[in-house]
Amino acid sequence: MKKATRVLLLLLCAIVSNPLFAQDGANDPTFNPDDAGFANGVDVPVSAVAVQPDGKILLCGGFVRYKGYDRKYITRINPDESIDLSFNTANDITGNITSVAIQSDGKIIIAGYMNYINGTSVNRLVRLNTDGSLDTSFTAVGDLSNGITAMILQPDGKIVVGGYNFVKRFNSNGTQDMSFSAGAGPEGFVSSLGLQPDGKILAGGSFASFNGSPNKTLVRLETDGSIDSSFGVGEGASTTVSAIEVTSDNKIYVGGVFQTFNNQSLRGVLRLNQDGAIDNLFNIGNGVGINGYVSDITLQPDGKLIAAGRFKGFNGQSNVNDIVRINPDGSLDSGFISPTQTADDGISDIEILNNGNIVIAGVFSKYNDTSRNYTALLNNDGTLNENFTLGAGPGADNVIKVMLPLQEDEILIAGDFNYYNGIASKKVAVINGDDGSIVSSFNVTDGPNGIVNSAAIQQDGKIVIIGDFNYVGAIPRNGIARLNVDGSLDESYQPNLTFNKATIAIQSDGKVIVAGYNSGGNNMYRLNTDGTIDNTFTIPSFVYNLLIMKIIVQSDDRIIVANRNGSSNSLFRLNTNGGLDTTFAGVPENVASVWGMTTDNFGNIYICGFNNSDQSQIAKLDSNGVPDTDVVLDPTFNPFGSITNIKVQGDGKIIVFGSGNIGMAPDTLVRLNADGTLDDTFDTGEGVYGYKSGIYDVLLLEEDKILIAGGFIGYNNIGRNRIAKLNSTGALDVDVFSAVKDNDIVVYKDSQGINISSINELLSSVQVYDMAGRLLVKENNINKHEILVNCIGFKGNVLIVKTILKDGTVSVKKIF
């Protein structure tokens, strides 16, 4: 908002004696008003997929929306990913769906934990008509109270289901088939079922025995449910068998989490002969196999096997991630292009279409760094099918990790997104702080090829970014790069350092401090202005192995370091040359592990983390680390999740945020009073929503607003894709900026910069900060009554000017 508008608002507030303000914590609907939120497609991961003969696709999972439509746990989409409006279950299902299958007549069998559909009581196993309505002619009769975790249809229409401590078979009308009995069943979970051509049934999962026999993780049952003793797999898998596929000649493919099978080193996938013996003709690399786990496998008509899950590498080839196609001899099918980057949290289900294309579903929000929201369509060669997409949608199409204020009310955002409001801006964008629209003059259409985890802005407006990337456009950059003010790569900045999980801060001379966790070397470096390592910066040896979470450069360029190691070194200060500053008091007793840290406009330090009992804690310290004993987290405030970050409003109230339910409601954002007690005037309602609903950054704005950013797709039942603006009274409260002899000091902006003058005492030093507490300019050893500070590059910003007089008086003023 521009200065004239601010003046008008101040006048209006003076005229209206009892103004009505929006509830603190409420969403500001004027920010990015076209953002409908709730992602693009389903709003949480997909657990099961089935493909109809006409190419339409059924999706099942824990979601409640699809592209803005209410669709609870199941929806049907067209071959182009648009929603099929002819299919609707009326959106009143209680209990998640884990499995889905399509009968020959087109009716749909779903299984899981459902106990009501549209007010009708159901028993975990349900049949739907082709339009999604409940088929009342099918009623599952039998004890399925533990829920169903695996299901398979037999050619005769009978349904085999498995779960915790059971395997059962049901007739086509839902009655239990009493001719099938697995006795006591598995001692544990069944997570996969397979059907042989001869009608025998394979059950895999995580169980120590089956019906009293020492069959572990995999068993074959006769058609009546009894154990087939001719099938011997010895010790079975070391952990879970999660997928089974049977060939027409009774060869058995097995996928799972295991690293050994029958005491042989076989990871992720293997093939068994008909008798259960390992088929050594299927050789996936002398025990190397899949570096991770397999969630699902499926056979192509040509006999090749597709395996998918969460893995990085196949048979020593590291560029094969999460999905792979394997030849019948176990070798890698080089004609299938696996993603070079992992698909977030993995793929849970795969289905092959009649044309050979492959539907994948799971927990991922991107595929090979292209945003795809829990579902995607691959061509037969493994490349993405671009016709199967809903577009980028409004807001950010993936996680926002960082927000930084720029001049003229503009805000830098960075993270893992490729689009903002449908406009290509890879990993980094600039938006207007007022309305959330994108700033077109800043363009990063060909940016980093991986997530940006941290960023800092130099005094000249250039941006240093750090993250999990090794290219910016076509130019190699191993996790560190600098962007020009228009978003283009600054090719003159060539850091010779690989450091992708880090926090950064900039000293007054423009040198950059990089800290975090670097398995290949030190955990903290200082970079020169050209990006090269500054070898004059020498840190203590104990810093090398720390998990550094946050660094802050103080006004005198000393560096405060917070880390999560849980030791006496969880908070310390370094001198400007990197040496340990022994004058700093260190970590307070109640915070053993520090995760988040910030400062206020007076230099006080706020930290959050955990005590030795893994309970969340906060603390306020002065600039030298001495604790303020009046600020203590209310002992009745017992966060369920993790407080991992902290910000301080201008009125001294404390905002804590992170992951999980850290508040009294399902929320990841809480405001505390200045003494650490819970501020119940800040109401976030239902809080943030989404599978990746953590809040990663909070930015204090003018006019009592804050921005929140993260992985969420909704806030208090309002759709917001990864960024939202909230009301927050006192965020930048002018009344707190006062000091002794304040009237003796005059501070104002003009066309040349900032004028600071003192009527009586001489000026000693001046420091200018932005509203995020970032030091912009400092002047020391002034020794005169007036000074002009060059801060023209930030003339459109609200600034904090801290002045210290020769007699030690401190004045802090906020100027527009």
Side-chain angles (χ1 to χ4, degrees):
M1 181 172 288
K2 304 302 179 278
K3 188 174 181 179
T5 310
R6 293 192 197 100
V7 173
L8 177 60
L9 285 173
L10 290 172
L11 289 172
L12 288 172
C13 289
I15 294 170
V16 182
S17 59
N18 292 303
L20 296 175
F21 296 100
Q23 170 71 49
D24 274 16
N27 177 71
D28 179 356
T30 67
F31 182 81
N32 213 21
D34 293 331
D35 183 3
F38 301 120
N40 232 8
V42 293
D43 51 7
V44 299
V46 173
S47 57
V49 177
V51 178
Q52 295 185 169
D54 60 1
K56 292 184 178 182
I57 303 164
L58 287 159
L59 305 178
C60 300
F63 54 84
V64 296
R65 297 176 183 88
Y66 186 89
K67 190 59 178 176
Y69 293 93
D70 290 336
R71 290 294 184 272
K72 195 170 186 180
Y73 303 155
I74 184 169
T75 190
R76 189 167 66 196
I77 61 176
N78 297 310
D80 63 354
E81 206 179 3
S82 63
I83 191 168
D84 178 6
L85 294 175
S86 69
F87 182 89
N88 191 355
T89 59
N91 307 307
D92 187 13
I93 299 178
T94 304
N96 287 359
I97 300 169
T98 60
S99 304
V100 58
I102 300 170
Q103 292 186 166
S104 58
D105 61 358
K107 290 188 177 182
I108 301 153
I109 304 292
I110 57 174
Y113 296 87
M114 310 85 65
N115 49 29
Y116 283 95
I117 294 183
N118 301 338
T120 301
S121 177
V122 296
N123 187 23
R124 276 74 176 181
L125 184 64
V126 175
R127 187 163 65 197
L128 304 177
N129 295 310
T130 56
D131 62 356
S133 60
L134 182 65
D135 181 358
T136 56
S137 69
F138 182 95
T139 302
V141 179
D143 183 7
L144 296 171
S145 57
N146 288 330
I148 297 170
T149 53
M151 176 181 68
I152 193 167
L153 292 184
Q154 294 188 171
D156 60 0
K158 292 185 177 183
I159 309 158
V160 182
V161 297
Y164 182 63
N165 291 343
F166 75 88
V167 174
K168 295 180 179 181
R169 189 166 65 195
F170 289 80
N171 297 308
S172 58
N173 63 356
T175 59
Q176 187 171 344
D177 180 2
M178 304 310 294
S179 69
F180 180 94
S181 175
E187 186 186 354
F189 276 97
V190 167
S191 53
S192 55
L193 292 166
L195 185 67
Q196 293 190 169
D198 60 4
K200 292 184 179 182
I201 298 161
L202 292 151
S206 179
F207 48 86
S209 65
F210 196 99
N211 197 18
S213 297
N215 299 82
K216 292 173 58 176
T217 67
L218 184 64
V219 65
R220 186 164 65 192
L221 306 178
E222 301 284 359
T223 56
D224 62 358
S226 61
I227 294 174
D228 179 1
S229 59
S230 69
F231 185 77
V233 295
E235 290 296 314
S238 55
T239 45
T240 305
V241 170
S242 54
I244 301 169
E245 278 285 303
V246 183
T247 68
S248 58
D249 59 354
N250 282 326
K251 296 273 189 176
I252 303 158
Y253 285 100
V254 176
V257 190
F258 52 83
Q259 294 188 336
T260 65
F261 193 93
N262 199 13
N263 295 323
Q264 291 190 38
S265 180
L266 292 165
R267 298 199 298 183
V269 65
L270 57 91
R271 190 171 66 197
L272 303 176
N273 292 314
Q274 185 174 0
D275 61 358
I278 295 170
D279 183 358
N280 292 315
L281 296 178
F282 182 79
N283 186 347
I284 56 173
N286 296 322
V288 177
I290 286 176
N291 186 20
Y293 65 84
V294 171
S295 300
D296 195 20
I297 55 178
T298 190
L299 279 168
Q300 292 189 164
D302 61 2
K304 293 181 179 181
L305 182 78
I306 299 175
R310 186 74 166 100
F311 52 84
K312 189 174 180 62
F314 176 83
N315 196 10
Q317 300 188 49
S318 60
N319 62 341
V320 177
N321 298 299
D322 294 343
I323 185 167
V324 63
R325 189 161 64 196
I326 307 170
N327 293 315
D329 63 357
S331 62
L332 179 70
D333 179 5
S334 59
F336 185 88
I337 302 171
S338 296
T340 56
Q341 299 184 36
T342 57
D344 288 306
D345 294 320
I347 300 167
S348 59
D349 200 2
I350 46 180
E351 294 290 330
I352 299 176
L353 301 177
N354 291 333
N355 62 4
N357 289 345
I358 304 155
V359 177
I360 61 172
V363 192
F364 58 88
S365 58
K366 61 180 183 176
Y367 185 89
N368 223 8
D369 201 37
T370 300
S371 294
R372 287 293 185 270
N373 207 41
Y374 310 130
T375 57
L377 181 66
L378 308 182
N379 298 312
N380 182 257
D381 63 357
T383 58
L384 268 177
N385 187 309
E386 298 296 340
N387 295 323
F388 186 83
T389 179
L390 295 172
D397 67 340
N398 215 316
V399 171
I400 297 174
K401 298 276 286 189
V402 183
M403 296 186 293
L404 294 172
L406 303 172
Q407 57 185 336
E408 297 296 333
D409 293 322
E410 292 175 353
I411 295 165
L412 178 95
I413 60 173
D416 203 18
F417 55 87
N418 292 321
Y419 289 86
Y420 182 85
N421 282 351
I423 300 171
S425 195
K426 197 169 185 179
K427 314 305 180 189
V428 187
V430 173
I431 63 174
N432 291 302
D434 284 342
D435 60 10
S437 61
I438 196 165
V439 175
S440 59
S441 60
F442 185 91
N443 191 354
V444 190
T445 56
D446 198 13
N449 66 339
I451 187 172
V452 174
N453 292 312
S454 187
I457 301 172
Q458 298 181 166
Q459 289 190 22
D460 60 2
K462 290 185 178 182
I463 304 153
V464 182
I465 58 173
I466 293 183
D468 293 313
F469 55 84
N470 47 34
Y471 280 87
V472 176
I475 300 174
R477 285 293 184 270
N478 288 324
I480 304 178
R482 187 167 68 191
L483 305 179
N484 295 311
V485 293
D486 63 355
S488 61
L489 179 67
D490 180 358
E491 297 187 37
S492 69
Y493 191 79
Q494 299 185 12
N496 53 351
L497 180 66
T498 300
F499 214 135
N500 54 25
K501 297 186 186 303
T503 178
I504 58 177
I506 300 178
Q507 293 184 307
S508 60
D509 59 1
K511 292 185 177 182
V512 176
I513 308 294
V514 181
Y517 179 71
N518 182 19
S519 60
N522 296 350
N523 287 340
M524 181 179 290
Y525 294 88
R526 185 165 65 191
L527 305 181
N528 296 311
T529 54
D530 63 354
T532 58
I533 295 174
D534 180 1
N535 293 316
T536 68
F537 185 77
T538 306
I539 60 174
S541 59
F542 74 83
V543 182
Y544 291 176
N545 296 317
L546 299 180
L547 294 172
I548 297 172
M549 304 298 290
K550 187 78 173 179
I551 54 174
I552 289 177
V553 174
Q554 294 183 298
S555 59
D556 59 3
D557 278 342
R558 286 187 290 183
I559 306 141
I560 306 170
V561 182
N563 79 89
R564 53 182 278 193
N565 286 59
S567 67
S568 60
N569 294 322
S570 290
L571 190 72
F572 57 91
R573 185 166 66 190
L574 301 178
N575 293 311
T576 56
N577 64 355
L580 184 65
D581 180 1
T582 57
T583 67
F584 188 77
V587 65
E589 291 182 0
N590 68 315
V591 186
S593 176
V594 182
W595 286 59
M597 177 171 60
T598 192
T599 56
D600 62 17
N601 294 312
F602 304 103
N604 295 312
I605 305 162
Y606 293 76
I607 61 174
C608 63
F610 302 90
N611 61 20
N612 288 320
S613 300
D614 288 332
Q615 296 172 320
S616 292
Q617 293 291 324
I618 65 166
K620 177 184 177 183
L621 319 170
D622 70 11
S623 60
N624 290 312
V626 177
D628 181 346
T629 56
D630 292 332
V631 180
V632 179
L633 189 66
D634 189 337
T636 63
F637 176 65
N638 185 23
F640 176 75
S642 302
I643 295 176
T644 56
N645 220 325
I646 188 168
K647 290 290 177 74
V648 182
Q649 294 191 162
D651 61 359
K653 291 186 176 182
I654 303 164
I655 296 172
V656 293
F657 55 101
S659 60
N661 299 338
I662 69 170
M664 311 306 288
D667 198 6
T668 58
L669 180 73
V670 172
R671 190 170 71 186
L672 308 173
N673 294 310
D675 61 358
T677 57
L678 185 66
D679 179 7
D680 56 11
T681 67
F682 188 80
D683 184 6
T684 60
E686 294 297 315
V688 291
Y689 171 80
Y691 178 73
K692 298 180 179 180
S693 60
I695 296 176
Y696 297 121
D697 204 2
V698 166
L699 185 63
L700 305 177
L701 301 177
E702 301 170 37
E703 302 152 11
D704 291 340
K705 304 284 186 180
I706 64 173
L707 273 184
I708 62 172
F712 56 86
I713 56 175
Y715 178 82
N716 196 16
N717 295 320
I718 300 168
R720 284 294 180 266
N721 283 329
R722 286 95 188 185
I723 189 167
K725 183 189 284 188
L726 313 180
N727 298 307
S728 188
T729 303
L732 298 175
D733 190 342
V734 179
D735 294 338
V736 303
F737 302 111
S738 60
V740 179
K741 300 183 181 179
D742 193 54
N743 292 331
D744 291 349
I745 300 169
V746 178
V747 180
Y748 65 93
K749 286 183 185 179
D750 63 19
S751 60
Q752 302 301 313
I754 301 174
N755 281 279
I756 304 104
S757 61
S758 171
I759 297 172
N760 295 308
E761 294 288 339
L762 292 173
L763 298 169
S764 175
S765 67
V766 171
Q767 295 145 22
V768 181
Y769 298 84
D770 64 14
M771 294 312 299
R774 179 169 56 94
L775 180 66
L776 304 178
V777 179
K778 74 175 181 177
E779 297 286 346
N780 294 327
N781 302 315
I782 300 172
N783 294 322
K784 53 186 179 181
H785 286 282
E786 186 173 359
I787 188 173
L788 175 67
V789 175
N790 183 357
C791 211
I792 297 175
F794 298 90
K795 65 181 181 180
N797 284 24
V798 178
L799 301 176
I800 300 296
V801 181
K802 180 179 179 181
T803 306
I804 302 177
L805 304 182
K806 289 291 288 184
D807 66 356
T809 298
V810 178
S811 173
V812 181
K813 289 179 178 287
K814 175 183 178 184
I815 59 172
F816 293 87

